[in-house]
Amino acid sequence: MTNILILGAAGEISRYLSDMLLKQTNAHLTLYARQATQRLKDNESDRIIMVDGDFQDTDLLEQTMNGIDVVYVNDMYDEAATVSIVKAMERAGVKRIIAASSLGIYDEVGGKFGEWLIPMSNGELPKFAASAEVLEQSSLYYTLLRITWMYNEDGNTNYMLTNKGEPFVGTQVTRQAVAQLVVDIIQDDSRFIRSSLGVSEPGTDWDKPSFY
């Protein structure tokens, strides 16, 4: 029995992920978010526990991580929050973390798309980069997901991966595909240990996403 903690469980990817994990695995889920019990009240299941909490509450995070096998983090935007999560995991003895971040944190996006990305990211990439570095400097078994521009399309779970050090390829990907990737990693958990993966949709190597 795998016990999975989803941090930022009210986010869009997390909602798809929760549903997929319940359907595709026998895992038990702990959904952690601000006002989780209110915002996620439709997610009732005997395999779900909800925790109202903040990423900065290291003590509550540590308590929540008791018995957890895998942590998924839906938001790697805040460096201080990432420090708190890493500290809680180290205290609780939990090693495995999968975290959603942004493309462009290593200046790995070239060409016309790379030029388009800079103004569109509103100067936020350094925050994602600092947060990712916290994870990479930790002792945790992390998989960092550098996700391209996202959209929703039911039934479209196609994704492709690039590795750190390789040029990023692909301008868009569905949130459903990102959620499926997380499920796939959890189900074959020996893959992508201490890896940073670029995540996009095959066949979308364009100058910008199709919805812009």
Side-chain angles (χ1 to χ4, degrees), residues 2-78:
T2 304
N3 293 308
I4 300 166
L5 171 60
I6 300 179
L7 298 178
E12 285 190 86
I13 297 172
S14 294
R15 289 172 185 263
Y16 288 122
L17 176 60
S18 300
D19 187 50
M20 289 178 180
L21 285 168
L22 289 175
K23 289 177 179 175
Q24 298 180 33
T25 77
N26 63 354
H28 282 239
L29 312 181
T30 300
L31 306 183
Y32 186 108
R34 289 189 182 94
Q35 299 177 316
T37 49
Q38 284 298 312
R39 296 165 72 192
L40 299 172
K41 57 188 175 184
D42 294 335
N43 287 48
E44 291 186 6
S45 164
D46 58 4
R47 290 162 55 197
I48 285 179
I49 296 170
M50 295 191 200
V51 178
D52 296 326
D54 186 291
F55 288 2
Q56 305 280 2
D57 191 339
T58 311
D59 291 340
L60 179 58
L61 283 170
E62 181 186 356
Q63 293 168 24
T64 304
M65 288 172 185
N66 183 40
I68 292 295
D69 301 299
V70 183
V71 175
Y72 168 74
V73 184
N74 197 57
D75 181 3
M76 285 283 290
Y77 175 80
D78 185 331

Side-chain angles (χ1 to χ4, degrees), residues 23-153:
K23 289 177 179 175
Q24 298 180 33
T25 77
N26 63 354
H28 282 239
L29 312 181
T30 300
L31 306 183
Y32 186 108
R34 289 189 182 94
Q35 299 177 316
T37 49
Q38 284 298 312
R39 296 165 72 192
L40 299 172
K41 57 188 175 184
D42 294 335
N43 287 48
E44 291 186 6
S45 164
D46 58 4
R47 290 162 55 197
I48 285 179
I49 296 170
M50 295 191 200
V51 178
D52 296 326
D54 186 291
F55 288 2
Q56 305 280 2
D57 191 339
T58 311
D59 291 340
L60 179 58
L61 283 170
E62 181 186 356
Q63 293 168 24
T64 304
M65 288 172 185
N66 183 40
I68 292 295
D69 301 299
V70 183
V71 175
Y72 168 74
V73 184
N74 197 57
D75 181 3
M76 285 283 290
Y77 175 80
D78 185 331
E79 183 181 2
T82 305
V83 169
S84 176
I85 292 165
V86 169
K87 188 179 294 183
M89 289 184 68
E90 290 174 342
R91 283 188 199 165
V94 179
K95 297 291 285 186
R96 191 70 176 100
I97 181 170
I98 303 166
S101 184
S102 170
L103 80 168
I105 61 173
Y106 309 126
D107 195 26
E108 78 276 26
V109 186
K112 294 285 189 182
F113 182 42
E115 294 173 13
W116 179 88
L117 173 66
I118 298 304
M120 291 298 290
S121 60
N122 295 318
E124 304 294 352
L125 291 180
K127 295 179 181 179
F128 282 103
S131 194
E133 188 174 2
V134 170
L135 210 54
E136 291 179 306
Q137 295 294 325
S138 76
S139 63
L140 302 177
Y141 299 156
Y142 67 84
T143 304
L144 192 64
L145 306 180
R146 291 174 284 115
I147 305 168
T148 191
W149 245 251
M150 290 184 287
Y151 69 108
N152 295 334
E153 185 179 296

